[in-house]
Amino acid sequence: MQHFLSTQDWGTGQLGRLLDLATELKRNPVQDRLRGKSIALMFLNPSLRTRTSFELGMQQLGGIAIVLQPGKDAWGVEFKPGAVMDGDAEEHIAEVAGVLSRYCDLIALRAFPLFQDWQTDREDAVIRSLAQHASVPVINMETIVHPCQELALMQTLREHIGDVAGRKFVLTWTWHPRPLNTAVANSALTIATRFGMDVTLLCPEPAYRLDEQFETAARANAEESGGSFSITHDIEAAYRGADVVYAKSWGALPHYGDPKAEWALRSRYRHFMVDEEKMSMTNNALFSHCLPLRRNVKASDGVMDADYCVALDEAENRLHVQKALMCTLLGADGAEETKNG
Amino acid sequence: MQHFLSTQDWGTGQLGRLLDLATELKRNPVQDRLRGKSIALMFLNPSLRTRTSFELGMQQLGGIAIVLQPGKDAWGVEFKPGAVMDGDAEEHIAEVAGVLSRYCDLIALRAFPLFQDWQTDREDAVIRSLAQHASVPVINMETIVHPCQELALMQTLREHIGDVAGRKFVLTWTWHPRPLNTAVANSALTIATRFGMDVTLLCPEPAYRLDEQFETAARANAEESGGSFSITHDIEAAYRGADVVYAKSWGALPHYGDPKAEWALRSRYRHFMVDEEKMSMTNNALFSHCLPLRRNVKASDGVMDADYCVALDEAENRLHVQKALMCTLLGADGAEETKNG
Amino acid sequence: MQHFLSTQDWGTGQLGRLLDLATELKRNPVQDRLRGKSIALMFLNPSLRTRTSFELGMQQLGGIAIVLQPGKDAWGVEFKPGAVMDGDAEEHIAEVAGVLSRYCDLIALRAFPLFQDWQTDREDAVIRSLAQHASVPVINMETIVHPCQELALMQTLREHIGDVAGRKFVLTWTWHPRPLNTAVANSALTIATRFGMDVTLLCPEPAYRLDEQFETAARANAEESGGSFSITHDIEAAYRGADVVYAKSWGALPHYGDPKAEWALRSRYRHFMVDEEKMSMTNNALFSHCLPLRRNVKASDGVMDADYCVALDEAENRLHVQKALMCTLLGADGAEETKNG
């Protein structure tokens, strides 16, 4: 049994086969590969794309999706082992994982970090404790990484570019009124270096660098894949010659849990918004973003409405890659399965 | 591609065929006409009937329904074009519409007016911007009109009366402790005049007249259909000879966004509640209401529990007409489709 | 037409046949017995197991489940007959029941007591008024009893023990920081006495005794089934020789609606937590709980993680017994139905 907590736990070949299956499922979306199978989708945070694509995807494959929102329509959950549960949570992850494993064939969780202490949040303990207590495969729907988004991003680049190795991929920090999760940024670095791209992280200043564990992984990935990884604070150097511009806003980790101090820093960098002028410096780059995106804050209307913006393609690919992921985790990824469709 | 934002955009013949298909689907409710098709149901406001009937209806036809509540379980949405999104909304309708169009075959939206400025709300900009950005048909689940309710109302009248042309239809304002949306009132006028009924709008005083665009449409409809449209503040004159009494409460538009001023007016009209005494003045009229209904506030227990109350029939018909609507919008309304059932 | 409001309304033979069908459905979970049938699941309170098991169970049988949360995503509901609805509720149970009976084949409701006045809550008026107004079978998903939990508990005991008659069943009150619903405690007494067990209610003092109607029913059940029913405040006497320890926390009825006064009492009884030392006094008893359970508050980690803890089995059986229940209520419980699977 394999979980899908991070793409780093999976082999590059396995990821490639998963994307190939996604391509096949995109051509033939309604199949019976997962007839009678079920997935529990647990959301501790809001979602549009993730929920819609998982619910729809499972049902298009003949299965059943159950959406749960612990703390809202379900009971609050305790994640710490050994806790004396005298607080708000009525239920421990041991039981939640145990019960859902009895009911469902897959469990997926969205659990954003708590934005209080990065030293705690960087351990990703919530989804790890779910995986530890579950007896069925667990899927990460975004914690401190967003591996489903990685698959959709890479699938979209493959569709538009073909072989991505050696292409320049720029991950740019953007303006946003609040400090956000670093998950998609961590994930973008990880997957782009994995597939041999020349990856540049553009951020306003060192305080916006990503956690060491992800920068280290990106360097190791690049070494293995023949790509590269570098960091710059120079907007023009970053955009110049880019084949892909990928945008995301995130909070400065040194001020994690202190939005006021972070704001003092952040408020100087409104000009990091992606606009047509910046895009004109690139090598006719594609632009994408994981969505949701604040228009004219993270990227201008002109960029979002341009032909080179593939954010909707990436969002659509969430559906196809996640269907391939569910099939793979449940052993329904074989070619012979197609006949049942 | 056709949207369903208002019945006024559809031909009378087309509406009639849709109701005929609804009759057929009522006889044979579980079919495979929409196998593998999907609808996104977006609710910015609460719902019982609308959600249940759409979810159930789509699934009875072999399809998949996804329920989203932006701002609650999904991200808040910005609807203004060109907005610099520095406020609460994390996502623009352009992307919401674009993404959902990639995932689903239909998008439905409930978006009540905001009750601040009628000059803004009367433009129905929210659903219009969704329709503008969507590449699949959009269904109005109530904004400033409620066209699905219109279909259910007309289907119910056809079932009980047969040919409705020339019958007296009274839309009466009723008491309610708060100023409500005018949507169902606007819609009742529209559909009853469309099908040739003699329509009387009964309201306490001129302040409770409906927006000019709907009164004008009602007059034009009546002229074309051979029906009539008049307005009165005289309870007895309205009820006398009525074949159908349709009740709804709504806020006075001159005091829109100012509930205190509205209350000064409203508080005098508690006696507009529909009761058995008023119903006894009619021509053995049917009574109906769109529900939800506050008993002994909008209508008495005696009226609600009477044989002439067809509100449950109308609620049930929501299911059948909406199934017919989805089939029509997706080109699955042909007679040959029945064989697949 | 039969409702499922309480197991006391059902014959013991009928309950036994339902559990036999559940065993069969556990072996063969995906069937078409309820193809095209639907259930409305109304939650006035949170749920994990109940919602997941009903949604999943109905879909595994080919049917459709609709989840509604009145007051959150649906309109607030008035339950009192004759009410002048000038308060918060927009809709009366008469219409909710009437409409949902038109749409769905089954209606299920979770409506916890309001914790203000036990003399009112003990009448269970909310679900009784739903059943009165519904024209389809109504299922109790927990009010002041939790009959679905009873079925799962008894099924679990049958699986682990076989014939339960004459076995010692201890229902123990446990510590919890707040006064909870008595429903599961009432239900445990009811079902264990029904099947001939020797039932001991262990609670800290007379204030924690259960409502007279349930103690009386337990005594009558025991008399008919050949079991017994007794009450003790002595921990050792209760655990000694027990075959089953079933834990639950609940509020003291004499202080119902007055959490401060209840706390003065409750705070003395933290030692009623189930731990390994207490379990060592038993006859190698099974331990179970309905979940959710606060670890190290109601029961220790050691107990929860022990082999004798069958709480997950009981949770899983919720799925199987509820599927059998839905089939039974809809007349799809015959052996010949299996062929359709």
Side-chain angles (χ1 to χ4, degrees):
Chain A
M1 189 182 84
Q2 196 174 12
H3 298 299
F4 186 70
L5 307 188
S6 158
T7 54
Q8 292 293 95
D9 308 330
W10 286 46
T12 308
Q14 200 180 14
L15 294 174
R17 284 191 297 279
L18 194 160
L19 297 183
D20 292 341
L21 177 57
T23 302
E24 191 183 318
L25 291 167
K26 190 171 188 169
R27 277 196 295 263
N28 188 9
V30 180
Q31 302 199 8
D32 271 339
R33 282 173 186 255
L34 300 182
R35 175 168 149 70
K37 299 290 183 187
S38 56
I39 186 168
L41 304 169
M42 274 200 291
F43 288 97
L44 303 184
N45 314 94
S47 164
L48 176 85
R49 273 153 294 279
T50 299
R51 188 152 84 76
T52 304
S53 55
F54 267 111
E55 272 198 78
L56 185 63
M58 187 41 131
Q59 293 183 75
Q60 287 179 336
L61 293 168
I64 300 161
I66 308 289
V67 178
L68 297 164
Q69 300 178 88
K72 293 174 80 176
D73 55 21
W75 307 101
V77 178
E78 172 66 61
F79 292 91
K80 291 205 192 74
V84 175
M85 293 175 57
D86 254 343
D88 287 339
E90 289 287 346
E91 179 140 47
H92 195 275
I93 188 65
E95 275 66 59
V96 172
V99 169
L100 293 178
S101 295
R102 296 291 185 98
Y103 292 152
C104 293
D105 301 288
L106 293 167
I107 305 173
L109 174 69
R110 166 164 287 192
F112 288 177
L114 298 180
F115 292 100
Q116 288 164 6
D117 171 20
W118 178 245
Q119 292 313 310
T120 303
D121 285 349
R122 77 190 290 279
E123 299 300 328
D124 219 3
V126 168
I127 196 154
R128 294 202 178 278
S129 79
L130 171 62
Q132 178 199 332
H133 289 100
S135 56
V136 300
V138 168
I139 295 173
N140 185 338
M141 298 195 294
E142 191 173 349
T143 57
I144 60 166
V145 290
H146 196 349
C148 293
Q149 195 72 45
E150 294 178 41
L151 298 176
L153 164 59
M154 189 44 61
Q155 184 76 331
T156 304
L157 297 186
R158 282 163 38 125
E159 288 174 353
H160 283 273
I161 296 177
D163 184 4
V164 301
R167 297 304 197 100
K168 181 171 179 183
F169 179 97
V170 178
L171 168 63
T172 177
W173 182 93
T174 73
W175 170 253
H176 185 285
R178 288 183 300 112
L180 299 180
N181 193 358
T182 56
V184 171
N186 299 330
S187 276
L189 285 195
T190 303
I191 198 72
T193 52
R194 190 70 175 279
F195 279 77
M197 301 187 82
D198 288 323
V199 176
T200 298
L201 166 59
L202 167 62
C203 58
E205 58 170 273
Y208 284 97
R209 284 185 55 175
L210 294 167
D211 187 86
E212 178 201 359
Q213 65 182 311
F214 300 108
E215 292 193 359
T216 301
R219 265 187 293 272
N221 286 351
E223 190 145 327
E224 194 172 318
S225 68
S228 66
F229 174 56
S230 63
I231 300 170
T232 183
H233 310 307
D234 177 337
I235 293 178
E236 188 175 336
Y239 276 81
R240 193 68 70 197
D243 296 299
V244 178
V245 174
Y246 199 63
K248 183 73 187 75
S249 188
W250 61 87
L253 294 178
H255 302 296
Y256 198 80
D258 184 355
K260 269 192 189 162
E262 213 270 351
W263 176 255
L265 215 63
R266 164 175 301 262
S267 53
R268 285 179 259 155
Y269 300 117
R270 196 160 185 132
H271 60 286
F272 270 73
M273 181 175 82
V274 183
D275 56 24
E276 289 162 282
E277 193 190 332
K278 292 192 191 74
M279 288 302 292
S280 73
M281 294 189 281
T282 67
N283 180 27
N284 290 314
L286 298 172
F287 170 78
S288 198
H289 186 279
C290 62
L291 304 181
L293 178 142
R294 290 170 176 253
R295 280 176 171 244
N296 304 312
V297 168
K298 286 165 151 186
S300 68
D301 279 334
V303 168
M304 288 303 292
D305 296 331
D307 285 343
Y308 55 70
C309 174
V310 296
L312 290 185
D313 291 345
E314 183 176 331
E316 180 188 334
N317 277 326
R318 292 289 305 277
L319 175 65
H320 309 301
V321 299
Q322 290 162 193
K323 288 167 76 175
L325 174 63
M326 293 188 284
C327 289
T328 301
L329 290 171
L330 292 173
D333 52 337
E336 73 279 16
E337 302 285 342
T338 318
K339 297 173 199 161
N340 305 336
Chain B
M1 189 183 83
Q2 195 173 13
H3 297 300
F4 186 70
L5 307 188
S6 158
T7 55
Q8 292 292 94
D9 307 331
W10 285 46
T12 308
Q14 199 180 14
L15 293 174
R17 284 190 297 278
L18 193 160
L19 297 182
D20 292 342
L21 176 57
T23 302
E24 191 183 317
L25 290 168
K26 189 171 189 168
R27 277 195 295 262
N28 187 10
V30 179
Q31 301 200 8
D32 270 340
R33 281 173 187 255
L34 300 182
R35 175 168 149 71
K37 300 289 184 188
S38 58
I39 186 168
L41 303 169
M42 272 199 293
F43 288 97
L44 302 184
N45 315 95
S47 163
L48 176 85
R49 275 153 293 279
T50 299
R51 190 152 82 78
T52 304
S53 55
F54 266 111
E55 271 198 78
L56 185 63
M58 187 41 130
Q59 293 183 76
Q60 287 179 337
L61 294 168
I64 299 160
I66 308 288
V67 178
L68 297 165
Q69 300 178 89
K72 293 175 81 175
D73 54 22
W75 306 101
V77 178
E78 172 65 61
F79 291 90
K80 291 204 193 75
V84 175
M85 292 175 57
D86 254 342
D88 287 338
E90 287 288 347
E91 181 139 45
H92 195 275
I93 188 65
E95 275 67 58
V96 173
V99 169
L100 293 178
S101 295
R102 295 292 185 99
Y103 291 153
C104 294
D105 301 287
L106 294 166
I107 304 173
L109 175 69
R110 165 164 288 193
F112 289 176
L114 298 180
F115 291 100
Q116 287 164 6
D117 171 20
W118 178 245
Q119 291 314 310
T120 303
D121 285 348
R122 77 190 291 277
E123 299 300 328
D124 219 3
V126 168
I127 197 154
R128 295 202 178 277
S129 80
L130 171 62
Q132 177 199 332
H133 289 101
S135 56
V136 300
V138 168
I139 295 174
N140 185 339
M141 299 195 294
E142 190 174 348
T143 57
I144 60 166
V145 290
H146 196 349
C148 293
Q149 195 72 46
E150 294 178 41
L151 297 177
L153 163 60
M154 189 44 62
Q155 183 76 331
T156 305
L157 298 185
R158 282 163 38 127
E159 287 175 353
H160 284 273
I161 295 177
D163 185 5
V164 301
R167 298 305 197 98
K168 181 172 180 183
F169 178 97
V170 177
L171 168 64
T172 177
W173 183 93
T174 73
W175 170 254
H176 185 285
R178 290 183 297 114
L180 300 180
N181 193 358
T182 56
V184 171
N186 298 331
S187 276
L189 285 194
T190 304
I191 198 73
T193 52
R194 190 70 176 278
F195 279 77
M197 302 187 82
D198 287 325
V199 176
T200 298
L201 166 59
L202 167 63
C203 59
E205 58 170 275
Y208 284 96
R209 284 184 55 175
L210 294 167
D211 187 86
E212 178 202 358
Q213 66 183 311
F214 300 108
E215 294 192 359
T216 302
R219 266 187 294 273
N221 285 351
E223 188 143 330
E224 195 172 318
S225 68
S228 67
F229 174 55
S230 63
I231 299 170
T232 182
H233 310 307
D234 177 337
I235 292 178
E236 189 175 335
Y239 276 82
R240 193 69 70 196
D243 296 299
V244 177
V245 174
Y246 200 63
K248 184 71 188 75
S249 188
W250 61 87
L253 295 178
H255 302 295
Y256 198 81
D258 184 355
K260 269 192 189 163
E262 213 270 352
W263 175 255
L265 214 64
R266 163 176 300 263
S267 54
R268 284 180 260 154
Y269 300 118
R270 197 162 184 129
H271 60 286
F272 270 73
M273 181 176 82
V274 183
D275 55 25
E276 289 162 282
E277 193 189 332
K278 291 192 191 74
M279 288 302 293
S280 73
M281 293 190 283
T282 67
N283 179 29
N284 290 315
L286 297 173
F287 170 77
S288 199
H289 185 278
C290 61
L291 306 180
L293 177 142
R294 290 171 176 252
R295 280 176 171 244
N296 304 312
V297 168
K298 286 165 150 187
S300 68
D301 279 333
V303 169
M304 287 305 291
D305 296 330
D307 285 343
Y308 55 70
C309 173
V310 296
L312 291 186
D313 292 346
E314 183 176 332
E316 181 188 334
N317 277 326
R318 293 289 304 278
L319 175 64
H320 310 302
V321 299
Q322 289 163 193
K323 287 166 76 175
L325 174 63
M326 292 188 286
C327 289
T328 302
L329 290 171
L330 292 173
D333 52 337
E336 73 280 16
E337 302 285 343
T338 317
K339 295 173 201 161
N340 303 338
Chain C
M1 189 183 84
Q2 195 174 12
H3 297 299
F4 186 69
L5 306 188
S6 158
T7 54
Q8 292 292 96
D9 307 331
W10 285 46
T12 309
Q14 200 180 14
L15 294 174
R17 283 191 297 279
L18 193 159
L19 297 183
D20 291 341
L21 177 56
T23 302
E24 191 183 317
L25 291 167
K26 190 170 187 167
R27 276 195 295 262
N28 188 9
V30 179
Q31 301 199 10
D32 270 339
R33 282 174 186 255
L34 300 182
R35 176 169 147 70
K37 300 291 184 186
S38 57
I39 186 167
L41 303 168
M42 272 199 291
F43 288 97
L44 302 184
N45 314 94
S47 163
L48 175 86
R49 273 153 293 279
T50 299
R51 189 152 84 75
T52 305
S53 55
F54 266 111
E55 272 198 78
L56 185 63
M58 186 42 130
Q59 293 183 76
Q60 286 179 337
L61 293 168
I64 300 160
I66 309 289
V67 178
L68 298 165
Q69 300 178 89
K72 293 174 80 175
D73 54 21
W75 306 102
V77 178
E78 172 65 62
F79 292 91
K80 292 206 191 74
V84 175
M85 292 175 57
D86 254 342
D88 287 337
E90 288 288 346
E91 180 139 43
H92 195 276
I93 189 65
E95 275 67 59
V96 172
V99 169
L100 292 179
S101 295
R102 296 293 184 98
Y103 291 152
C104 293
D105 301 288
L106 293 167
I107 304 173
L109 175 68
R110 165 164 289 191
F112 288 177
L114 299 179
F115 292 99
Q116 287 164 6
D117 171 19
W118 179 245
Q119 292 313 311
T120 304
D121 285 348
R122 77 190 291 278
E123 300 299 330
D124 219 4
V126 168
I127 196 154
R128 295 202 178 278
S129 79
L130 171 61
Q132 178 199 332
H133 288 101
S135 56
V136 300
V138 168
I139 295 174
N140 184 339
M141 299 197 293
E142 190 175 348
T143 58
I144 59 165
V145 289
H146 195 349
C148 293
Q149 195 72 46
E150 294 179 40
L151 298 177
L153 163 59
M154 189 46 61
Q155 184 76 333
T156 304
L157 298 186
R158 282 164 39 126
E159 288 175 352
H160 284 273
I161 296 177
D163 185 4
V164 301
R167 296 305 196 100
K168 181 171 179 183
F169 179 98
V170 178
L171 168 64
T172 176
W173 183 92
T174 73
W175 169 254
H176 186 285
R178 288 184 299 113
L180 300 181
N181 193 357
T182 57
V184 171
N186 298 330
S187 276
L189 284 194
T190 304
I191 197 73
T193 52
R194 190 70 175 279
F195 279 78
M197 301 188 83
D198 288 324
V199 176
T200 299
L201 166 59
L202 167 63
C203 59
E205 58 169 275
Y208 284 97
R209 284 183 56 174
L210 294 167
D211 188 86
E212 179 202 357
Q213 66 182 311
F214 299 108
E215 292 192 0
T216 301
R219 266 187 293 273
N221 285 352
E223 189 146 328
E224 195 172 317
S225 68
S228 66
F229 174 55
S230 63
I231 300 170
T232 183
H233 310 308
D234 177 337
I235 292 178
E236 189 175 335
Y239 276 82
R240 193 68 70 195
D243 296 300
V244 178
V245 174
Y246 200 63
K248 183 72 187 77
S249 188
W250 61 87
L253 294 178
H255 301 295
Y256 198 80
D258 184 355
K260 269 193 188 162
E262 214 270 352
W263 176 255
L265 216 61
R266 164 176 299 262
S267 54
R268 284 180 260 153
Y269 300 118
R270 197 160 183 131
H271 60 286
F272 269 74
M273 181 176 81
V274 183
D275 55 25
E276 289 163 281
E277 193 190 332
K278 292 193 191 74
M279 288 301 293
S280 72
M281 294 189 283
T282 67
N283 181 28
N284 290 314
L286 298 173
F287 169 77
S288 197
H289 185 279
C290 62
L291 306 181
L293 177 142
R294 290 172 176 252
R295 281 177 171 243
N296 304 313
V297 168
K298 286 166 150 187
S300 68
D301 279 333
V303 169
M304 289 304 291
D305 296 331
D307 285 344
Y308 55 70
C309 173
V310 296
L312 290 186
D313 291 346
E314 183 176 331
E316 181 188 332
N317 277 325
R318 292 288 305 278
L319 175 65
H320 309 303
V321 299
Q322 289 163 194
K323 287 166 76 175
L325 174 63
M326 292 188 285
C327 289
T328 301
L329 291 171
L330 292 174
D333 52 338
E336 73 279 16
E337 301 285 342
T338 317
K339 295 172 201 161
N340 304 338

